[in-house]
Amino acid sequence: MTDYLVKQEDLDLLERTKDRCNNCQKCPLGLLRTKSVFSGGVPNKKLMLVGEAPGYWEDQKGEPFVGKAGQLLDKIFASVGFSRQNDVYICNTLKCRPPDNRNPLPEEKDACREFLDIQVGTLKPRIILLCGNIAVQSFIEGARGITKVRGQWFDGPYGAKMMPIFHPSYLLRNDSREKGSPKWLMWQDIQEIRRVYDELFKDS
Ligand code: URA
């Protein structure tokens, strides 16, 4: 039986890295932030979600996905019995909010990458969900757009299974639930994620 408990030394490393992140001035976003947003949910070795960057509310609270998009994300997880309190470690490609929520610049992603690498390398989660194009580009070189790659499994770091999924803010802009719509596709994807999760961890 595989042990999926996160060791205390790994939790300590994540805490120390979070402290460094809170003081980071490696790119100009460090001067603009209210709070940096290192992670949310629960550190675990099974399921991680990587998003894009903090928005207004995340910057205010220092927690990822706490605005409207985050509330939808919680509902999507809840629809298959996952919760951020028990099942998912949540982080972003950038730990500080870009002005007006613009896309992260390459130099910002480069400056922030070490934090994401430590998060992935410390937890080595078996499943990584790449939420939206920015997260996809951080892990899959030359990836096509999210509508082409969502719902497919890719090989990720440390043997992880990785799946690109739509960003919840995209779903908020596309309200239809008809067959083939983004919301409908997300429903297919989250069920597939639950299926693979159950299969991987059936003995743990
Ligand atoms: N969008 C993201 O990608 N991450 C957040 O934390 C909030 C909104």
Side-chain angles (χ1 to χ4, degrees):
M1 198 159 96
T2 316
D3 183 3
Y4 290 106
L5 271 185
V6 184
K7 291 195 201 99
Q8 188 57 47
E9 67 198 64
D10 290 339
L11 294 173
D12 292 345
L13 174 59
L14 289 174
E15 271 309 302
R16 285 199 306 277
T17 309
K18 180 179 178 173
D19 288 345
R20 276 203 302 120
C21 181
N22 288 341
N23 293 307
C24 175
Q25 294 293 344
K26 280 198 293 183
C27 84
L29 299 183
L31 287 176
L32 301 177
R33 68 175 171 243
T34 311
K35 290 187 174 171
S36 71
V37 179
F38 185 69
S39 69
V42 58
N44 76 93
K45 301 179 86 60
K46 295 181 176 177
L47 184 57
M48 173 185 283
L49 177 133
V50 183
E52 180 175 328
Y56 175 81
W57 286 110
E58 290 77 21
D59 172 74
Q60 292 291 309
K61 298 191 174 176
E63 277 281 315
F65 284 102
V66 289
K68 273 212 161 119
Q71 286 160 24
L72 178 55
L73 183 65
D74 284 344
K75 282 190 194 156
I76 292 164
F77 279 138
S79 72
V80 292
F82 289 137
S83 73
R84 73 167 82 195
Q85 291 78 11
N86 294 317
D87 306 300
V88 198
Y89 182 79
I90 300 177
C91 59
N92 282 309
T93 304
L94 287 195
K95 311 310 191 206
C96 295
R97 182 189 181 208
D100 301 322
N101 302 337
R102 63 154 167 70
N103 281 346
L105 302 175
E107 56 270 31
E108 293 163 352
K109 287 196 271 186
D110 287 350
C112 223
R113 182 73 202 206
E114 74 152 314
F115 297 124
L116 185 57
D117 284 344
I118 290 173
Q119 290 172 308
V120 173
T122 303
L123 294 172
K124 302 187 179 69
R126 308 313 303 142
I127 299 176
I128 302 177
L129 305 180
L130 304 175
C131 189
N133 268 321
I134 301 294
V136 170
Q137 288 157 12
S138 297
F139 286 88
I140 305 173
E141 232 187 282
R144 294 178 305 158
I146 187 74
T147 52
K148 295 275 192 322
V149 294
R150 58 131 283 278
Q152 297 171 36
W153 289 109
F154 290 80
D155 293 333
Y158 310 99
K161 282 173 163 287
M162 276 189 324
M163 184 190 280
I165 57 173
F166 283 131
H167 196 286
S169 57
Y170 178 69
L171 301 178
L172 287 172
R173 297 194 298 271
N174 290 274
D175 213 34
S176 165
R177 286 166 190 274
E178 271 179 32
K179 194 170 175 185
S181 66
K183 275 196 173 149
W184 184 87
L185 292 169
M186 176 61 109
W187 172 236
Q188 312 303 307
D189 295 349
I190 196 69
Q191 289 183 89
E192 165 67 5
I193 291 158
R194 180 78 229 196
R195 187 189 69 72
V196 167
Y197 181 100
D198 288 342
E199 180 62 30
L200 280 176
F201 307 122
K202 61 177 184 287
D203 298 325
S204 66

